[in-house]
Amino acid sequence: MAAPAPIRENSMSSPLLRYENLTIPLPGNADRAYAVQDLSLTLAPHEILCIVGESGSGKSLTALSTMGLLEAQFDKPQGGIYFGPDNLLDLNERQRAQKIGGKISMIFQEPMASLNPFYTVGQQVSETFRIHTDLSKAQIRQKVLALFDEVLLPDPERIYRSYPHQLSGGQCQRVMIASALALNPQVLIADEPTTALDVTTQAQILKLMLRLRESHGTGILFITHDFGVVAEIADRVAVMRHGQVVEIGAVAQVLNDPQHEYTKSLVAAVPRLLPRNARQNLGPAVLRAENVKKTFSLRSLSQGRKDIKAVDDVTLTLRRGETLGLVGESGSGKSTLAQCIIRMVQPDSGVIEIDGIRFDQLGKRALRDARRHVQIIFQDPYTALDPRQKVGDAIAEGQVIHGASMAQAAKRTAELLKAVGLDASAADRFPHQFSGGQRQRICIARALALEPSLLIADESVSALDVSVQAQILALLADIQSKLQFGLLFVTHDLRVASQLCDRIAVMQRGQLVEIGEPAQLFQNPSAAYTRQLLSAVPGAGWVPRAADQSRYTE
């Protein structure tokens, strides 16, 4: 089948950035010839252009080619990326630095991976000024402090002296934004800058982006897979698939009246803030946690010892067939509570009972045997599987440890792969041969291999594309209806929690501040903190017309 003709926009006067038939070849062993093919886009001053699409669509490679950061495995891109009269693809590294310097900046997805742990953040942001200006050390310091203030970092003097590990994820992302803005760039490229952030921090970053667009006249190329974010900030939207732009237009047109079938499928997969009532006729309690406490003691030369109550006297129950959502900001204690329940982290005190077994009283050997009653699915499917172990062996391993024969484990593994929508032949392949969504299906199959009474999903869909996320959520709901396990669903996405969970528990600073059915909790929250979380949901006012939410509910 012939490739579709590249989509071109209407002409726009004086664009800041212009892509003309950008084509990035892929290495010879790839599944297609081009990572990006015949891409033509423009970005205007004061404009926010969002690029959306699934993993592998070419979004990030477009951004990296603009910055000259493509890995060596890629051949030189073809076509043009024009900043003013200059084609950036024709410039070498030194010419690029001289001509554009800080005029084009980029914010990456993982701030902790972008910041050097050996230097204070003040030193790292100062480096930009040292390289590109003749300012004195004192002048640079004042510039950096002013930037920290502009991006709403609290106590800029303290932040200046802090190392990355001493800051929260949201604070580190603000530092990266400050660094990107240091030389007042005309173009800002943001590659998934809010994906790993909780809703309140995400809302603050988005408001900051909008404010900077107005105050600096900056054109922002914003790469994301979150359509709530798109609805919140975009002026225009470009949809990419398999390296090509399949649709582009004003945000209202693309989100509310998509023309391309691929865009329609993406919009249909977007989770809505659609609170549900709890299901009836649930089974007996499978989890009982009473007065669970966990305190971490941190020591530093500057501050001495500091005790942090990660879980502070939390009590909750979960029944068979029920889904309990655990929501809250980063640092609220939700993941620590989940790890205390499974005894990955040893609680200081409290009662933890799973399937009638007192987990808090078990020794190491008894705990190993009892853990077949509870399994956990982690956030990142790329690091959850051993790259040297075949998928079938990973799923069968727990079964064999707990007494199954190799033949029994192989048979059960084939059944589980089929249950999660994969062919039995997948058992003979390695993790790197699967996509992220397929790997998460494998992780679910592995977790279900021991037929647990309790399944913990810790941010298990937050890093996935909306279409893959919808498939995984539907899969969890379908398998739970058949096996009737209790599901403890840890998430920062209130839209998903509102339609998947029977009850939602809201945590703040280690404490359980509110718990109830989504319909009651979202429509009439009693805690101010819950109201704050709800008000921060990006794109809450946009309702996808084509969305089919029946797959999450019975």
Side-chain angles (χ1 to χ4, degrees), residues 225-479:
H225 66 251
D226 189 331
F227 277 75
V229 169
V230 173
E232 195 78 24
I233 67 168
D235 297 304
R236 290 187 304 140
V237 184
V239 182
M240 290 189 68
R241 181 174 189 244
H242 296 162
Q244 295 183 312
V245 175
V246 298
E247 184 164 357
I248 187 167
V251 61
Q253 181 268 310
V254 174
L255 295 190
N256 297 324
D257 189 23
Q259 300 300 303
H260 195 278
E261 289 303 316
Y262 177 68
T263 310
K264 292 178 182 178
S265 69
L266 290 181
V267 171
V270 176
R272 290 186 292 173
L273 198 62
L274 189 67
R276 56 176 280 181
N277 293 308
R279 290 169 290 183
Q280 303 301 311
N281 303 317
L282 296 169
V286 68
L287 167 66
R288 181 171 66 95
E290 294 182 359
N291 308 115
V292 178
K293 297 181 180 180
K294 180 61 183 179
T295 299
F296 293 105
S297 293
L298 303 179
R299 297 177 184 273
S300 69
L301 293 175
S302 59
Q303 298 178 348
R305 172 174 168 168
K306 182 179 180 181
D307 290 339
I308 298 177
K309 294 182 178 180
V311 179
D312 189 6
D313 202 25
V314 171
T315 295
L316 54 79
T317 60
L318 175 63
R319 301 167 67 182
R320 277 191 172 273
E322 181 183 25
T323 299
L324 174 63
L326 208 54
V327 304
E329 296 173 294
S330 297
S332 63
K334 54 187 188 297
S335 290
T336 302
L337 175 60
Q339 292 168 2
C340 284
I341 288 170
I342 201 172
R343 289 274 304 274
M344 290 177 64
V345 169
Q346 182 64 40
D348 298 329
S349 61
V351 173
I352 299 173
E353 185 176 285
I354 300 174
D355 240 4
I357 301 171
R358 285 286 300 273
F359 264 57
D360 58 288
Q361 296 181 342
L362 297 178
K364 288 184 178 180
R365 177 171 293 184
L367 178 62
R368 189 190 70 172
D369 294 336
R371 274 190 174 144
R372 67 176 304 152
H373 295 270
V374 55
Q375 292 291 300
I376 188 167
I377 307 168
F378 295 101
Q379 176 176 355
D380 187 358
Y382 288 92
T383 58
L385 296 169
D386 186 340
R388 300 165 297 179
Q389 186 179 41
K390 289 184 177 180
V391 162
D393 294 336
I395 298 173
E397 186 176 38
Q399 302 172 63
V400 174
I401 289 173
H402 288 277
S405 68
M406 293 298 294
Q408 290 171 325
K411 181 181 178 181
R412 176 68 175 152
T413 296
E415 293 171 350
L416 286 166
L417 286 170
K418 183 178 179 180
V420 298
L422 296 173
D423 191 86
S425 61
D428 292 323
R429 295 158 63 188
F430 290 92
H432 73 271
Q433 297 174 286
F434 297 89
S435 68
Q438 289 173 323
R439 292 190 202 201
Q440 198 63 294
R441 290 172 182 266
I442 293 165
C443 291
I444 292 172
R446 182 177 62 176
L448 295 175
L450 298 178
E451 301 182 1
S453 303
L454 172 64
L455 184 63
I456 299 174
D458 190 0
E459 299 282 10
S460 57
V461 297
S462 62
L464 301 177
D465 301 316
V466 288
S467 54
V468 179
Q469 181 186 76
Q471 295 167 11
I472 297 300
L473 292 173
L475 175 64
L476 282 172
D478 179 60
I479 293 179

Side-chain angles (χ1 to χ4, degrees), residues 87-160:
N87 184 354
L88 302 182
L89 299 181
D90 292 338
L91 305 181
N92 59 37
E93 189 173 343
R94 176 174 291 184
Q95 291 171 328
R96 182 186 296 268
Q98 289 175 341
K99 284 186 175 289
I100 67 172
K103 295 177 183 177
I104 301 179
S105 294
M106 185 167 178
I107 306 167
F108 297 94
Q109 179 174 349
E110 288 291 344
M112 295 301 288
S114 301
L115 291 169
N116 192 320
F118 293 101
Y119 296 94
T120 67
V121 296
Q123 290 173 310
Q124 295 183 61
V125 178
S126 296
E127 185 177 13
T128 301
F129 290 105
R130 289 197 299 270
I131 293 173
H132 293 283
T133 74
D134 295 324
L135 295 175
S136 67
K137 188 174 181 180
Q139 289 172 320
I140 290 175
R141 179 183 176 85
Q142 289 306 310
K143 285 278 190 181
V144 174
L145 291 174
L147 280 169
F148 286 172
D149 185 62
E150 184 177 10
V151 298
L152 307 179
L153 279 165
D155 192 357
E157 287 280 359
R158 179 185 64 83
I159 297 291
Y160 188 96

Side-chain angles (χ1 to χ4, degrees), residues 38-52:
D38 290 327
L39 180 140
S40 294
L41 292 173
T42 59
L43 177 70
H46 295 277
E47 182 184 29
I48 298 180
L49 171 63
C50 282
I51 301 182
V52 301

Side-chain angles (χ1 to χ4, degrees), residues 468-503:
V468 179
Q469 181 186 76
Q471 295 167 11
I472 297 300
L473 292 173
L475 175 64
L476 282 172
D478 179 60
I479 293 179
Q480 184 190 37
S481 68
K482 295 175 182 177
L483 302 182
Q484 290 297 298
F485 52 79
L487 176 59
L488 184 62
F489 192 82
V490 182
T491 184
H492 66 250
D493 192 330
L494 296 176
R495 294 167 299 184
V496 170
S498 73
Q499 57 196 33
L500 181 71
C501 301
D502 298 287
R503 290 183 300 141

